């Protein structure tokens, strides 16, 4: 069939298999172009491995020479519906990785569930023995606790008072003011349950109990802090409470893992166009301004550049992992440079529908959004019929 983008709200409901293949190949070629790591991961588990930072982590680990298992929750094609972008990404990744002689297997299902955890542990025992890097990169709006059976839903809300600020519709370029009602106690508890560190800790505890953790195992989870203008909705809002819990979990895990030579930490990453960030009010406008400035400074990075730098300059240097005063790795350092943030604040005060394309890189934001789903990729003929029923090697 001929596949076209169909956008509903903040999500594209279609994905292009050929475009996704080219996206993955582009990331693989970038990692291949980088210098080899001083120290290398051996056996890697990526939880949330099919898109964004998780996919970039899997690619970077694989082409550093590691065997990888990826866990994700994606949908294959059915009748006239395309598969999700994450499904096509993984199919492309495995095809290329296997052709290049790398071990890569995948597990598709709810990573919060006990069943998927058990399947993963069984596969580790069967094929790898132990894992020495565990990347936790889940971005889900809901979670069902397998112990209590309760389902939690995360929210994007401020605390204490109504939050008002500018936002943009990335597809129309309309800048408007948004007002978001403050969270209640249940909103906070649910968001922490979904996006905090509870499930991450359950994964690590299970791997330890099942003797699947190498003595020098490193685990990291990804987070975001962002600028002051988004703090009310992000850092100090419901998500911020969840991220505080994630960081506290990292400290707890780090104390345990250090006993055998391992480490646990949170990596604070740069703001990028992802399926998750597209749904956060204010963030698309902020990122569009940020992109314009960072591209002009030639400091702009996408997911793969960020994660390659995380591996190269922070985790696998042969030295201790450099962290800030809160024990976080900061690969958002270029985003948070004082001159960049000061200029964004100045632009923010005067940006409007009339000048949004002049003062920001909204076109670049929109391009990156479509590219997430395999559209607007160079070299792809979108007028051509494509097979949408693509298999993932290790799942087919």
């Amino acid at each position: 069939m001929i596949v076209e983008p169909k956008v509903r709200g903040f999500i594209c409901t279609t994905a292009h298999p050929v475009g996704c293949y080219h996206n993955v190949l582009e990331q693989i070629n970038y990692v291949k172009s980088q210098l080899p790591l001083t120290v290398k991961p051996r056996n890697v588990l990526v939880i949330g491995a099919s898109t964004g930072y998780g996919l970039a982590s899997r690619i970077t680990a694989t082409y550093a020479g590691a065997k990888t298992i990826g866990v994700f929750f994606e949908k294959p094609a059915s009748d006239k519906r395309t598969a999700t972008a994450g499904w096509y990404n993984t199919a492309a990744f495995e095809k290329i990785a296997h052709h290049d002689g790398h071990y890569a297997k995948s597990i598709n299902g709810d990573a919060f569930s006990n069943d998927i955890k058990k399947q993963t542990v069984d596969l580790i025992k069967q094929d790898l023995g132990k894992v020495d890097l565990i990347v936790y990169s889940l971005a889900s709006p809901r979670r069902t606790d397998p112990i209590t059976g309760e389902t939690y839903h995360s929210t994007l809300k401020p605390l204490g008072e109504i939050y008002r600020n500018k936002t943009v519709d990335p597809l129309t370029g309309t800048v408007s003011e948004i007002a978001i009602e403050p969270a209640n106690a249940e909103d906070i508890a649910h968001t922490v349950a979904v996006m905090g560190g509870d499930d991450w800790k359950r994964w690590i505890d299970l791997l330890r109990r099942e003797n699947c953790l190498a003595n020098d195992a490193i685990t990291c989870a990804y987070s975001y802090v962002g600028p002051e203008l988004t703090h009310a909705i992000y850092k100090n809002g419901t998500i911020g409470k969840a991220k505080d819990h994630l960081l506290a979990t990292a400290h707890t895990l780090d104390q345990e893992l250090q006993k055998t030579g391992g480490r646990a930490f949170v990596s604070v990453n740069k703001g990028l166009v992802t399926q998750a960030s597209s749904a956060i009010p204010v963030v698309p406008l902020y990122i569009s301004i940020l992109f314009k400035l960072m591209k002009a400074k030639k400091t702009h990075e996408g997911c793969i550049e960020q994660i390659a730098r995380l591996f190269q300059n922070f985790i696998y240097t042969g030295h201790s992992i450099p962290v800030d005063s809160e024990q976080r790795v900061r690969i958002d350092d270029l985003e948070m440079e004082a001159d960049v943030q000061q200029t964004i604040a100045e632009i923010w005060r005067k940006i409007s529908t009339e000048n949004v394309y002049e003062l920001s890189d909204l076109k670049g934001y929109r391009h990156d959004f479509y590219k997430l789903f395999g559209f607007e990729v160079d070299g792809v003929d979108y007028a051509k019929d494509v097979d949408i029923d693509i298999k993932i090697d290790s799942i087919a």
Side-chain angles (χ1 to χ4, degrees):
M1 64 185 287
I2 294 173
V3 181
E4 298 177 337
K6 295 180 181 179
V7 179
R8 186 174 65 230
F10 297 100
I11 196 77
C12 188
T13 60
T14 54
H16 199 284
V18 179
C20 289
Y21 180 94
H22 281 266
N23 283 342
V24 171
L25 181 61
E26 181 182 292
Q27 293 182 68
I28 288 173
N29 286 338
Y30 176 81
V31 173
K32 284 181 174 180
S33 74
Q34 300 303 293
L35 294 171
L37 297 177
T38 303
V39 185
K40 298 179 180 181
R42 303 179 299 276
N43 298 317
V44 178
L45 170 63
V46 182
I47 303 158
S50 55
T51 62
Y53 281 118
L55 175 63
S57 301
R58 191 173 192 191
I59 290 170
T60 304
T62 297
Y63 285 87
K67 297 177 180 179
T68 68
I69 293 173
V71 179
F72 48 79
F73 201 2
E74 301 290 350
K75 293 181 180 178
S78 61
D79 298 326
K80 294 185 178 181
R81 290 184 65 90
T82 70
T84 54
W87 181 275
Y88 289 142
N89 288 342
T90 303
F93 163 74
E94 283 203 11
K95 183 176 183 179
I96 300 166
H98 293 161
H99 176 269
D100 290 344
H102 297 287
Y103 172 100
K105 289 189 179 180
S106 303
I107 293 174
N108 188 37
D110 180 5
F112 296 130
S113 71
N114 288 336
D115 179 57
I116 292 300
K117 287 182 174 68
K118 183 180 186 305
Q119 286 184 43
T120 306
V121 164
D122 289 345
L123 184 57
I124 291 170
K125 288 180 175 180
Q126 173 187 301
D127 288 5
L128 307 182
K130 297 176 187 288
V131 288
D132 56 274
L133 175 64
I134 305 93
V135 174
Y136 191 84
S137 185
L138 284 188
S140 173
R142 69 186 62 84
R143 171 193 175 208
T144 298
D145 189 313
I147 297 174
T148 66
E150 185 172 358
T151 298
Y152 302 98
H153 298 267
S154 63
T155 57
L156 299 160
K157 291 184 178 182
L159 305 182
E161 57 186 27
I162 295 174
Y163 173 70
R164 290 183 172 86
N165 213 327
K166 293 178 181 178
T167 193
V168 68
D169 183 325
L171 302 186
T172 67
T174 301
V175 177
S176 60
E177 185 177 271
I178 191 168
I180 305 174
E181 294 291 328
N184 58 34
E186 183 177 276
D187 292 329
I188 296 169
H190 274 237
T191 305
V192 170
V194 176
M195 303 179 70
D198 184 60
D199 185 65
W200 181 25
K201 188 173 186 301
R202 290 189 189 186
W203 272 99
I204 301 302
D205 289 347
L206 176 63
L207 292 168
R208 184 190 292 113
R209 284 198 308 272
E210 295 291 337
N211 199 29
C212 290
L213 275 185
N215 285 340
D216 58 351
I218 295 169
T219 185
C220 67
Y222 295 141
S223 188
Y224 182 64
V225 172
E228 194 169 324
L229 69 87
T230 67
H231 279 182
I233 186 69
Y234 201 95
K235 182 174 181 289
N236 301 327
T238 50
I239 296 180
K241 290 294 184 183
K243 297 304 184 183
D244 289 345
H245 188 274
L246 189 74
L247 184 60
T249 302
H251 293 162
T252 299
L253 292 174
D254 193 47
Q255 290 176 358
E256 289 299 314
L257 294 180
Q258 282 199 48
K259 294 175 183 176
T260 58
R263 289 301 306 273
F265 64 91
V266 165
S267 175
V268 179
N269 299 359
K270 176 193 174 190
L272 288 172
V273 184
T274 65
Q275 293 183 34
S277 69
S278 299
I280 304 174
V282 183
V283 169
L285 183 58
Y286 164 75
I287 288 178
S288 298
I289 301 171
L290 175 72
F291 279 16
K292 185 177 180 69
L293 298 178
M294 294 190 74
K295 287 175 181 178
K297 290 187 69 173
K298 301 189 184 307
T299 57
H300 177 67
E301 295 173 318
C303 287
I304 196 67
E305 292 87 1
Q306 280 262 287
I307 299 304
R309 185 157 67 92
L310 174 66
F311 278 50
Q312 184 88 45
N313 296 352
F314 292 87
I315 305 179
Y316 294 108
T317 63
H319 304 289
S320 59
I321 298 171
V323 293
D324 68 4
S325 60
E326 296 184 51
Q327 300 296 302
R328 302 172 299 185
V329 166
R330 300 299 296 263
I331 57 171
D332 66 339
D333 49 350
L334 302 177
E335 172 185 352
M336 300 310 295
E337 287 180 340
D339 62 325
V340 172
Q341 290 302 318
Q342 182 178 342
T343 305
I344 290 174
E346 293 167 359
I347 292 172
W348 192 267
R349 287 192 288 270
K350 56 188 177 183
I351 200 164
S352 65
T353 303
E354 290 69 33
N355 60 23
V356 68
Y357 290 102
E358 174 191 347
L359 298 180
S360 78
D361 185 23
L362 187 60
K363 288 182 179 178
Y365 181 99
R366 189 182 298 151
H367 171 72
D368 285 1
F369 173 80
Y370 281 115
K371 196 174 178 183
L372 289 175
F373 303 93
F375 300 104
E376 295 192 7
V377 177
D378 291 342
V380 178
D381 183 357
Y382 291 99
K384 189 176 180 180
D385 273 314
V386 293
D387 180 8
I388 63 168
D389 187 17
I390 306 297
K391 305 298 183 187
I392 295 173
D393 286 353
S394 67
I395 293 178

